[in-house]
Amino acid sequence: MAKGDPITDEKREEIRKRIRELHAEGKSRNFIAKALGRSGRTISEEAGHIGISFAARAGQVAAATEVRQADLADRRAAFAVKLQDIAEREAAKLSEPLLYWDWGGKDHEFDTHLAPEPTPADKRALMGTVATALDRSLKLVPPKDESGVEEGLALITQLMSGLTAVYKAHQQDQEADEGA
């Protein structure tokens, strides 16, 4: 069955039978739609004709989605910490001695040299690593706005709600006085 194919009476009975089976197995509307090669809307309509609703599961789906999003937020925060650690570790290397090594010569001899600090090119590479790690860390978990803007907006919203309530009460009192 392809999406968009008209549903004949034969297909309709087959589709409804499969909807009953898959729904009984606890499958979601979208899963059933994909399995049957039909749109979610078609599945909902056909399910409605046989007394099946997917609305009862909406709360479960919403709760599961909320839990999954919270888990992902925790994982992003943990990964942001790892990226911050990488940035700090690489930044510390900018002024530390660095062991350089080389295979060279006609006999492929191994040689090492301890430099008091990295070369300018290596410092540039380290700074690139630091900048990338910090940037990604900040994108995963942006710093909180501690300017007080959010609190100010909340206070203004509360004030406006209070003023609106007082105004409405005043209007009701005037209408009551005029009606008396």
Side-chain angles (χ1 to χ4, degrees), residues 118-132:
T119 64
D122 289 337
K123 283 185 178 183
R124 192 170 34 257
L126 286 168
M127 286 301 296
T129 302
V130 169
T132 300

Side-chain angles (χ1 to χ4, degrees), residues 20-90:
R20 277 190 205 96
E21 292 169 355
L22 293 170
H23 186 268
E25 292 175 14
K27 304 299 183 192
S28 71
R29 182 198 71 160
N30 291 342
F31 178 90
I32 295 170
K34 188 173 184 179
L36 299 181
R38 295 288 171 177
S39 70
R41 180 178 177 185
T42 298
I43 298 303
S44 293
E45 288 173 1
E46 294 301 321
H49 289 296
I50 57 176
I52 293 176
S53 172
F54 295 96
R57 295 187 186 148
Q60 294 170 334
V61 171
T65 300
E66 189 175 325
V67 167
R68 193 171 99 242
Q69 288 175 339
D71 288 346
L72 287 172
D74 289 344
R75 289 173 62 192
R76 280 192 304 273
F79 197 69
V81 170
K82 287 180 183 180
L83 288 170
Q84 181 70 33
D85 291 344
I86 289 169
E88 290 173 8
R89 184 185 68 234
E90 295 303 305

Side-chain angles (χ1 to χ4, degrees), residues 112-179:
T112 61
H113 167 71
L114 184 63
E117 62 182 34
T119 64
D122 289 337
K123 283 185 178 183
R124 192 170 34 257
L126 286 168
M127 286 301 296
T129 302
V130 169
T132 300
L134 280 175
D135 180 59
R136 298 300 181 244
S137 173
L138 290 171
K139 285 184 178 178
L140 286 171
V141 181
K144 291 185 178 177
D145 179 16
E146 297 179 10
S147 65
V149 170
E150 288 182 27
E151 291 83 5
L153 288 173
L155 180 61
I156 291 170
T157 302
Q158 287 177 340
L159 261 167
M160 289 303 294
S161 295
L163 288 171
T164 301
V166 168
Y167 177 74
K168 285 181 180 179
H170 179 70
Q171 277 187 323
Q172 289 172 351
D173 287 346
Q174 279 185 333
E175 289 172 5
D177 289 343
E178 290 174 4

